[in-house]
Amino acid sequence: MTAPILITGASQRIGLAYAMHCLERGTPVIATYRTHRSAVDTLEQAGARCLHADFATNQGIDSFINALLEETSALRAIIHNASDWLPESPDTDPADVMAAMMQIHSTTPYRINLACRHLLENSDAVTDIVHMTDYVVEKGSAKHIAYAASKAALENLTRSFARLLSPGVKVNSVAPSLIMFNEGDSEAYREKTLKKSLLGIAPGEVAAVETLQFLLDNPYITGRSIGLDGGRHLV
Ligand SMILES: NC(=O)C1=CN([C@@H]2O[C@H](COP(=O)(O)OP(=O)(O)OC[C@H]3O[C@@H](n4cnc5c(N)ncnc54)[C@H](OP(=O)(O)O)[C@@H]3O)[C@@H](O)[C@H]2O)C=CC1
Ligand SMILES: Nc1nc2c(c(=O)[nH]1)N=C([C@H](O)[C@@H](O)CO)CN2
């Protein structure tokens, strides 16, 4: 039996889609969720092990790590997907925004990778870590400054962990731009955002699912970032 794939933030959207994709292929899944939605029940009915985790505090990270080590002695892959897309705003202290962004996008993957590397290295085959970053790592963001900086930190973790864990573990990033909108995104926002890329679409979760699977299936890519952005860099 293949060792399970750990997917963080899998109760909705891209994380949920990749978890279901893995289960449909017969690959075991350990999914984390912070908010219990019906999708968590669906995942469990499809055979996933779902662990509650709130990575906002180091205690939350540590209790998740302890639960994971109780759950499994090996992993096929870790997909660091959990994320908050926090903008700067007049009513939030910038220090709190930066702390929250670094906590979820940098401290969480860093601590889990170091504490659980042996679960990936306990395998005869090559295993994977994938960090979900963002196109804004390349360009920055005027409205999500701390978010972009934290994703840039995550991109650097990709390179460091690729060096630390080779050749047994491949470590890569997927750097999406618009994949899917959020409920409540206005028509004006949608129209404006679609125009930011050459291809002008919101491809949906499947684009991220296929890119993640490509990275896990490819034996010769590590320390790299795959831009999943519709050619936004050329607009
Ligand atoms: N969607 C897009 O167009 C783009 C996505 N990306 C990146 O791709 C990845 C997936 O995107 P998407 O599916 O939209 O992600 P979401 O915004 O849906 O977030 C994924 C999950 O992260 C979880 N999460 C947030 N904060 C915490 C926390 N403190 N502890 C534990 N879990 C937490 C949430 O859990 P819960 O809901 O259970 O509370 C949420 O379900 C993300 O890393 C994102 O930054 C990058 C560019 C574009
Ligand atoms: N955690 C999240 N990160 C990001 C999201 C999201 O919904 N959740 N969405 C985006 C946007 O789609 C952006 O790429 C285009 O405006 C960025 N990050």
Side-chain angles (χ1 to χ4, degrees):
M1 167 71 93
T2 311
I5 292 180
L6 168 64
I7 305 165
T8 67
S11 73
Q12 63 180 10
R13 296 160 62 85
I14 290 172
L16 173 63
Y18 191 60
M20 292 306 292
H21 165 84
C22 293
L23 293 166
E24 285 155 14
R25 288 162 51 98
T27 303
V29 167
I30 297 173
T32 85
Y33 67 93
R34 180 180 55 175
T35 307
H36 192 287
R37 300 185 169 84
S38 59
V40 174
D41 301 327
T42 304
L43 281 170
E44 288 179 333
Q45 285 152 20
R49 287 286 295 135
C50 295
L51 302 178
H52 178 265
D54 186 342
F55 301 124
T57 64
N58 290 338
Q59 295 74 15
I61 295 172
D62 290 346
S63 60
F64 164 71
I65 289 169
N66 293 335
L68 179 67
L69 297 178
E70 288 289 314
E71 184 65 34
T72 187
S73 59
L75 286 173
R76 166 63 186 84
I78 301 176
I79 313 297
H80 289 290
N81 172 76
S83 169
D84 253 337
W85 190 34
L86 286 186
E88 279 70 34
S89 77
D91 49 10
T92 47
D93 181 339
D96 293 340
V97 180
M98 182 61 84
M101 291 294 87
M102 286 297 178
Q103 179 72 12
I104 185 64
H105 297 139
S106 181
T107 303
T108 297
Y110 172 68
R111 288 172 72 116
I112 291 172
N113 289 349
L114 287 176
C116 303
R117 62 181 285 190
H118 64 287
L119 301 181
L120 293 162
E121 292 169 323
N122 279 352
S123 167
D124 298 336
V126 176
T127 54
D128 289 82
I129 294 172
V130 182
H131 297 145
M132 295 300 291
T133 60
D134 190 305
Y135 163 82
V136 295
V137 165
E138 277 184 46
K139 297 277 188 181
S141 169
K143 294 181 180 169
H144 297 82
I145 302 168
Y147 166 88
S150 67
K151 289 285 192 174
L154 181 55
E155 171 54 35
N156 193 262
L157 289 178
T158 295
R159 300 174 197 159
S160 296
F161 279 104
R163 297 167 71 103
L164 177 70
L165 301 178
S166 66
V169 184
K170 298 182 277 124
V171 186
N172 292 291
S173 304
V174 176
S177 182
L178 172 67
I179 299 296
M180 57 194 297
F181 290 109
N182 279 285
E183 279 176 39
D185 284 344
S186 68
E187 273 315 303
Y189 170 80
R190 292 170 188 248
E191 200 175 322
K192 181 186 73 166
T193 307
L194 288 169
K195 289 178 179 157
K196 287 184 178 178
S197 78
L198 289 180
L199 298 181
I201 61 169
E205 300 94 321
V206 62
V209 167
E210 290 177 350
T211 306
L212 286 165
Q213 198 57 51
F214 161 74
L215 282 171
L216 266 64
D217 292 345
N218 190 294
Y220 198 50
I221 299 175
T222 195
R224 286 296 187 188
S225 175
I226 307 293
L228 186 61
D229 56 30
R232 176 162 176 185
H233 61 300
L234 296 178
V235 170

